[in-house]
Structure formats: C-alpha cells, structure tokens
Amino acid sequence: MTRALDDLIRRRGQPDIIVSDNGTEMTSHAVLRWCQETGVGWHYIAPGKPMQNAFVESFNGRIRDECLNEHIFGNLAEARKIIENWRIDYNTERPHTSLGGLAPAL
C-alpha cells in the first residue's frame, strides 16, 4: 500500500489528507508509520458510513454499472482484460467534472 502511495505522490504530488475506510490494509502499522514519515494526514470514515467517502462510493457504483454488470466473465484472464480496458478508458479518455472536464491521467 505505501509503495503505491509513494508512486502516486511522485507522479501527482502529495495530498494533505487521505480519506479511507477502516479496512485492514488501511489501518496497518506500516500505513500509520508512512503517515508520520510523510506528513500526510489520514482520516478514517465511520464504520458503516460509506456515504462519508462519496468519491469512492461514486467510483464503485460506476465500475459496477458500466463494467461489472455489463459483462459475464468466462475466466480470470478475460475479467482482467475487460476491467483493464475499462480502467484505461476511465483514466485517459473520459472527462471528469471533478477535474474540470479533464481525464485523470492528463
């Protein structure tokens, strides 16, 4: 998790704060140590309150509606290919209103 966050910071800059749920991958000692070392704040949403993290919930609904509900995956390789194609389109082609009409990768 922290290696991925370090990579994102190198590419996109350091955020002031990260909002997440209370999943085990987000509450580990390594993540808490990483926050102290980088100075990035971390805010955990209240358990059972996904609406407190609206960006993630919006994304989850979008991938479910636009990708997962539209395909029947015959095997894991096929699922990976279809989901990766959707991810590339989502991040490089389609405009996002929260980014002023730009795609996230731009």
Side-chain angles (χ1 to χ4, degrees):
M1 173 66 69
T2 58
R3 282 191 298 270
L5 291 170
D6 286 335
D7 182 52
L8 283 169
I9 287 173
R10 276 192 293 280
R11 291 187 288 130
R12 304 287 289 233
Q14 182 168 313
D16 293 328
I17 191 167
I18 294 174
V19 177
S20 76
D21 64 13
N22 291 285
T24 55
E25 71 280 8
M26 304 293 190
T27 58
S28 70
H29 291 293
V31 169
L32 298 175
R33 188 172 39 255
W34 179 87
C35 290
Q36 290 177 332
E37 292 170 358
T38 61
V40 173
W42 203 284
H43 173 74
Y44 294 105
I45 64 171
K49 301 286 185 183
M51 67 289 285
Q52 291 180 353
N53 198 356
F55 292 111
V56 169
E57 292 305 311
S58 174
F59 174 79
N60 289 346
R62 194 169 311 278
I63 191 170
R64 188 180 319 106
D65 291 342
E66 297 175 7
C67 184
L68 302 177
N69 290 348
E70 295 294 317
H71 300 279
I72 296 174
F73 305 116
N75 55 54
L76 184 56
E78 182 183 3
R80 286 181 173 154
K81 181 178 179 184
I82 290 169
I83 293 167
E84 178 65 4
N85 288 339
W86 183 89
R87 185 194 67 80
I88 289 168
D89 178 67
Y90 183 84
N91 286 320
T92 63
E93 300 298 325
R94 73 167 66 177
H96 294 244
T97 55
S98 64
L99 299 174
L102 296 175
L106 299 179

